[in-house]
């Protein structure tokens, strides 16, 4: 299955394709991309469609709101839910975060403005985070009586270590761009207003490489997290076998020897 040049999911989520790069656009401007039930469902549907599109080599998660990437859970909606309704909502929000986390191709978040709570968890679910100087990130959930529930307690320690993650989660503090970059909460800091452009440029550079190799490398990186060295190397061996006998490997070696750009078959 291949997505069209632009596909809409629900009212607030779109996917744009440019060559082998897909842009997953969050466009709930009226609520700073707050994650409501409907928004979460649309995001999950978009990720499911992207996962099935073998033509996409990199996905970039972006926001159209000028002051926010995503402010996290829709607390206005949450305030009106009964306990039973909140429990019924959970599979929708979980599917949204898991959908981004489980994208089979490399994923990049382009962050400006607020990326708080579930918004920062969406960014953490990507492989790389590109931010501009307006970015403010954090997991403030304990300040409203909950815990990070979109992967934050597991993904943040993998980025910055257990003690640093504990400090950030327990204090619920917001971290501005310069400190976020210094701490490794984001991976690249751009000029003002350049987060989307730089993330898309990075995606284009990545997309020039083997799609089979990219997906196998991501599987090895993600699956090997937290494993002992021997188990991790077994994961890497499985990834190597995926690519070693592929058309992409044959084309890559041939192109190198013939001093030309590879024309990846993607299989």
């Amino acid at each position: 299955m291949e997505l069209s040049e632009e596909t809409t999911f629900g009212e607030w989520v779109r996917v744009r394709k440019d060559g082998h790069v897909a842009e997953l656009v969050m466009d709930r401007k009226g609520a700073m991309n707050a994650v409501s039930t409907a928004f979460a469902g649309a995001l999950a549907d978009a990720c499911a469609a992207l996962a099935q599109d073998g033509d996409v080599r990199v996905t970039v998660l972006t926001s159209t709101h000028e002051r926010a990437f995503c402010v996290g859970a829709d607390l206005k909606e949450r305030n009106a839910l009964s306990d039973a309704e909140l429990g019924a909502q959970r599979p929708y929000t979980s599917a949204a975060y898991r959908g981004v986390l489980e994208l089979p191709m490399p994923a990049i978040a382009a962050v400006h403005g607020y990326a708080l709570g579930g918004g920062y968890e969406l960014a953490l679910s990507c492989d790389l985070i590109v931010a501009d100087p307006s970015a403010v990130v954090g997991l403030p959930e304990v300040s409203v009586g909950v815990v990070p529930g979109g992967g934050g307690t597991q993904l943040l320690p993998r980025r910055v270590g257990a003690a640093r993650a504990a400090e950030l989660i327990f204090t619920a503090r917001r971290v501005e761009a310069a400190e976020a970059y210094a701490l490794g909460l984001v991976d690249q800091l751009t000029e003002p207003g350049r987060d989307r452009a730089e993330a898309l440029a990075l995606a284009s550079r990545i997309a020039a490489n083997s799609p089979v190799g990219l997906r196998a490398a991501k599987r090895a990186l993600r699956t090997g997290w937290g494993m002992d060295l021997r188990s991790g190397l077994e994961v890497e061996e499985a990834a190597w076998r995926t690519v070693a006998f592929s058309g992409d490997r044959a084309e890559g070696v041939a192109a190198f020897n013939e001093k030309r750009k590879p024309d990846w078959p993607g299989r």
Side-chain angles (χ1 to χ4, degrees), residues 47-48 50-52 94-107 122 124-127 155 215 218-219 222:
C47 289
L50 280 165
Q52 294 299 314
S94 293
Y97 299 117
R98 191 170 60 251
V100 177
L101 182 64
E102 294 180 355
L103 285 170
M105 73 290 292
L122 287 173
L124 285 172
S125 295
C126 296
D127 301 289
L155 295 170
R215 292 186 180 219
K218 177 164 180 170
R219 281 198 307 276
R222 289 292 181 91

Side-chain angles (χ1 to χ4, degrees), residues 219-236:
R219 281 198 307 276
L221 285 163
R222 289 292 181 91
T223 306
W225 276 352
M227 287 185 171
D228 62 87
L229 180 58
R230 182 181 296 275
S231 298
L233 289 173
E234 289 174 358
V235 168
E236 184 179 85

Side-chain angles (χ1 to χ4, degrees), residues 1-256:
M1 171 189 173
E2 287 189 11
L3 292 163
S4 59
E5 207 168 274
E6 181 161 320
T7 308
T8 301
F9 297 85
E11 188 177 351
W12 302 305
V13 177
R14 298 193 306 278
V15 173
R16 300 182 186 132
K17 284 179 63 177
D18 182 7
H20 296 293
V21 174
E23 183 179 2
L24 178 53
V25 184
M26 299 184 291
D27 190 31
R28 195 184 178 200
K29 286 186 176 180
M32 291 186 168
N33 293 323
V35 182
S36 64
T37 307
F39 183 86
L43 193 57
D45 288 345
C47 289
L50 280 165
Q52 294 299 314
D53 191 332
D55 192 50
V56 176
R57 299 180 187 173
V58 188
T59 294
V60 180
L61 181 60
T62 68
S63 163
T64 61
H65 197 286
E66 64 277 4
R67 293 190 295 114
F69 175 74
C70 172
V71 293
D74 187 336
L75 295 183
K76 289 183 179 179
E77 181 186 65
R78 290 271 182 96
N79 192 49
L81 298 179
S82 67
D83 287 354
E85 289 169 333
L86 179 60
Q89 183 202 50
R90 177 63 176 171
Y92 292 92
T93 54
S94 293
Y97 299 117
R98 191 170 60 251
V100 177
L101 182 64
E102 294 180 355
L103 285 170
M105 73 290 292
I108 303 168
V111 174
H112 59 267
Y114 298 111
L116 300 172
Y120 184 48
E121 287 173 305
L122 287 173
L124 285 172
S125 295
C126 296
D127 301 289
L128 296 166
I129 303 173
V130 175
D132 91 341
S134 71
V136 179
V137 306
L139 297 175
E141 283 87 347
V142 297
S143 70
V144 292
V146 293
V147 301
T153 65
Q154 305 306 304
L155 295 170
L156 189 58
R158 285 168 164 81
R159 269 191 164 264
V160 299
R164 178 65 69 191
E167 182 264 320
L168 293 167
I169 291 171
F170 295 163
T171 63
R173 72 183 180 94
R174 301 179 178 191
V175 183
E176 296 188 359
E179 184 185 5
Y181 178 63
L183 294 178
L185 300 174
V186 304
D187 303 302
Q188 182 177 328
L189 202 56
T190 74
E191 295 297 317
R194 293 284 299 170
D195 55 291
R196 176 178 176 271
E198 293 296 336
L200 288 170
L202 175 59
S204 293
R205 294 197 296 275
I206 294 171
N209 296 308
S210 158
V212 173
L214 288 171
R215 292 186 180 219
K218 177 164 180 170
R219 281 198 307 276
L221 285 163
R222 289 292 181 91
T223 306
W225 276 352
M227 287 185 171
D228 62 87
L229 180 58
R230 182 181 296 275
S231 298
L233 289 173
E234 289 174 358
V235 168
E236 184 179 85
E237 176 71 13
W240 180 85
R241 290 187 178 279
T242 298
V243 300
F245 310 107
S246 69
D248 274 15
R249 194 276 309 169
E251 169 62 12
V253 172
F256 177 84

